[in-house]
Amino acid sequence: MTDGQRLFIGGRWVEPDRGHYEVVDPATEGTVGLAPEASPDQVRAACAAAREAFEGPWSRTSPEERAAVLGRAADIIRGHLVPYAELARAETGATTGTARGMQVGVAAARFRRYARVELAEWAIPPQINDAGPMGKAGVMGALAIRQPVGVVTCITSYNNPWANPAGKVAPALAMGNTVVVKPAPQDPLSVYRMAEALEAAGVPGGVVNVVSGRTVEVGEAAVDSPDVDMVSFTGSTAVGQRIAEVCGRGMKRQLMELGGKGAAVVLDDADIRSAVAGIGTTFSFYSGQICTAPTRVLVQRTVYGRFVEELAAYARRLKVGDPKEPDTVVGPVISAAHRERVESYVELGRKEGATVVTGGERPPLERGFHVAPTLLADCTNDMRVAREEIFGPVVSVIPFEDEEEGVTLANDSDYGLIDYVWSGDVARAFRVARRLRAGGVGVNTVGRNMEAPFGGFKRSGVGRDVGSYALHAYSEVQAIVWPG
């Protein structure tokens, strides 16, 4: 790529005030392209453009009109699946299959999903008071409807530059909001391709804006702008806290998907092979760079030895290497700095007394920010490798004696995004699941249902999205009352 990417503000492609920076392929360490570095003034201009578009016709368009735009965008994204996925693979280091299926493919599906929304999901069933303060004479009719929030700043994560932004932009637009998207600095180019698809689909100028940059002040401007009514953020808990403080000062709506340290509780009657296959996806899926990964595994002591042995064997079979190669299972992590961070946690685990059963060394590859799938056994729940989000292909395993201790250990965490339970007794698994303090629990699976509410307890976030829950997240409830 010779020419640098331009910003998308108010329906126009704009040269960045602060030039461009290189986007690096984490597998080859070469340059993917040149991303634009916005100034805070340009970010504020994007927010103002979104405000003007919201106050204009967009928020008053019919749900059918908005759905038609989203449907056309889905078709355009699906029609460009291969080149879009190639870009995503180069920016993120994801394998080709993951880039096509879980990144671009999921993004297209999310735009399509919100293009098929039943109109009933925009309204709440009418509610009638039985009696008012003056008895039957005071009976009033009441209709509760959903209205768009306004201008939404969407700050997205680096691990999936297609599905994550689509999960914010599509429901926000479906509800009649306008958006300013601030993509992660590591892989913003894919988000600009999404903006191109939406422009081609007929989104009016200012309804979608994309601004990028590596400095903190770019994100701060996108959050603090007086034109912004809501912030939807996916990222670390530490950054989420800072954003929440700004939102609190401005009384802005928040939707926060933050960190995770998912507990996987493996009970003594579990299908060990099934548990190993599910938990083993931590090593391969985005190379462990995903907040829903079961990275903290609690195993009942009677099956602990067998589980560790089989998970170690599973990890050793995974090919680490170039994500373009069809047999590669584990690609690189996003950057050299992040590789060093993950490696530092493995070394910390050693110092804390964990046993490195497999992995723990840098793979012998000439290029790429690779980390070998690493299994830390004999951990305790007070170790930092068991409490802090590593965000890499590293799994910590902790033994427990009985069900009660397993639940106690699982809940002894600052996080509460997604937990997991494996048991051959489904009733037992559901009993344990109901006691876990997490926004979601997978029973004998690491799979997701994209219509189920998604979000976290504790420091893992605020609010719920996905499916119809996202429509609620990006809307305000208005009550209209009249004499009965």
Side-chain angles (χ1 to χ4, degrees):
M1 182 175 181
T2 54
D3 297 326
Q5 172 67 53
R6 290 180 291 173
L7 306 166
F8 190 54
I9 300 174
R12 296 172 50 245
W13 294 95
V14 180
E15 288 294 333
D17 286 345
R18 296 186 172 178
H20 295 83
Y21 66 92
E22 291 186 347
V23 175
V24 176
D25 183 331
T28 67
E29 303 182 41
T31 301
V32 178
L34 300 177
E37 191 87 65
S39 67
D41 284 344
Q42 287 182 308
V43 177
R44 286 187 281 269
C47 296
R51 170 59 59 191
E52 183 177 355
F54 176 75
E55 300 293 352
W58 180 251
S59 62
R60 297 190 296 274
T61 58
S62 69
E64 294 92 342
E65 290 178 82
R66 299 196 294 265
V69 171
L70 297 179
R72 291 193 293 271
D75 291 340
I76 292 168
I77 293 169
R78 177 61 65 181
H80 292 79
L81 174 66
V82 173
Y84 285 170
E86 280 299 296
L87 176 60
R89 180 202 54 71
E91 284 194 286
T92 67
T95 63
T96 298
T98 295
R100 291 185 181 183
M102 300 306 298
Q103 295 189 350
V104 182
V106 169
R110 285 180 166 171
F111 277 103
R112 176 60 59 192
R113 188 261 181 258
Y114 294 105
R116 292 198 304 262
V117 170
E118 298 293 332
L119 297 184
E121 290 188 310
W122 267 269
I124 300 172
Q127 303 166 34
I128 305 296
N129 296 342
D130 288 336
M134 295 179 290
K136 290 293 183 182
V139 171
M140 304 287 285
L143 174 65
I145 62 174
R146 293 199 176 274
Q147 299 278 19
V149 176
V151 176
V152 182
T153 287
C154 303
I155 302 178
T156 66
S157 60
Y158 73 72
N159 59 349
N160 196 324
W162 278 94
N164 184 259
K168 299 176 186 297
V169 172
L173 297 185
M175 279 305 310
N177 301 285
T178 57
V179 299
V180 176
V181 185
K182 194 277 178 187
Q186 297 92 336
D187 49 12
L189 301 177
S190 289
V191 182
Y192 286 105
R193 300 292 80 74
M194 185 182 296
E196 289 177 353
L198 284 160
E199 181 185 34
V203 169
V207 170
V208 175
N209 306 269
V210 183
V211 290
S212 57
R214 294 169 295 178
T215 64
V216 172
E217 59 183 344
V218 171
E220 288 178 343
V223 171
D224 200 30
S225 166
D227 289 309
V228 171
D229 301 292
M230 173 180 173
V231 177
S232 177
F233 171 70
T234 299
S236 72
T237 296
V239 175
Q241 286 178 304
R242 294 198 293 272
I243 291 173
E245 290 171 359
V246 176
C247 288
R249 291 196 296 270
M251 296 302 292
K252 298 180 182 184
R253 172 77 72 86
Q254 305 166 45
L255 180 60
M256 299 279 183
E257 183 204 333
L258 306 178
K261 190 69 176 179
V265 181
V266 181
L267 298 167
D268 56 6
D269 59 353
D271 181 333
I272 298 300
R273 287 188 177 181
S274 173
V276 165
I279 293 164
T281 61
T282 299
F283 302 127
S284 56
F285 195 47
Y286 301 125
S287 301
Q289 299 167 111
I290 183 166
C291 53
T292 58
T295 56
R296 183 171 58 107
V297 187
L298 312 173
V299 185
Q300 200 154 4
R301 192 168 302 272
T302 52
V303 294
Y304 177 82
R306 178 188 167 195
F307 175 86
V308 170
E309 181 181 335
E310 292 195 17
L311 184 59
Y314 180 99
R316 294 185 187 108
R317 290 195 296 269
L318 303 177
K319 180 188 173 183
V320 180
D322 186 343
K324 294 194 299 294
E325 298 297 328
D327 58 342
T328 293
V329 180
V330 183
V333 296
I334 194 67
S335 66
H338 189 58
R339 175 177 60 185
E340 291 177 4
R341 179 180 182 274
V342 174
E343 290 174 337
S344 72
Y345 267 106
V346 175
E347 183 59 31
L348 175 64
R350 283 194 176 99
K351 293 177 179 177
E352 290 182 310
T355 300
V356 181
V357 181
T358 189
E361 73 289 334
R362 186 172 295 186
L365 299 167
E366 287 187 16
R367 294 182 182 84
F369 311 127
H370 299 282
V371 176
T374 300
L375 178 59
L376 304 177
D378 305 322
C379 297
T380 58
N381 211 46
D382 59 351
M383 291 180 177
R384 286 180 60 190
V385 292
R387 303 199 69 82
E388 299 176 12
E389 188 175 35
I390 299 173
F391 223 60
V394 180
V395 173
S396 303
V397 188
I398 302 167
F400 67 90
E401 297 297 336
D402 55 25
E403 185 178 306
E404 187 66 28
E405 184 187 13
V407 170
T408 299
L409 289 173
N411 288 334
D412 181 17
S413 173
D414 292 334
Y415 298 104
L417 187 58
I418 303 289
D419 283 350
Y420 304 89
V421 181
W422 267 271
S423 172
D425 182 339
V426 174
R428 184 189 188 194
F430 271 79
R431 180 178 70 239
V432 171
R434 290 289 300 272
R435 297 183 62 195
L436 298 179
R437 297 289 296 165
V441 182
V443 172
N444 294 327
T445 183
V446 293
R448 289 264 309 278
N449 182 321
M450 291 302 179
E451 292 300 312
F454 180 69
F457 288 10
K458 298 182 278 188
R459 292 167 61 90
S460 285
V462 177
R464 296 293 182 271
D465 67 358
V466 181
S468 61
Y469 295 89
L471 297 174
H472 307 328
Y474 293 97
S475 63
E476 295 280 14
V477 177
Q478 180 184 61
I480 300 176
V481 181
W482 65 93

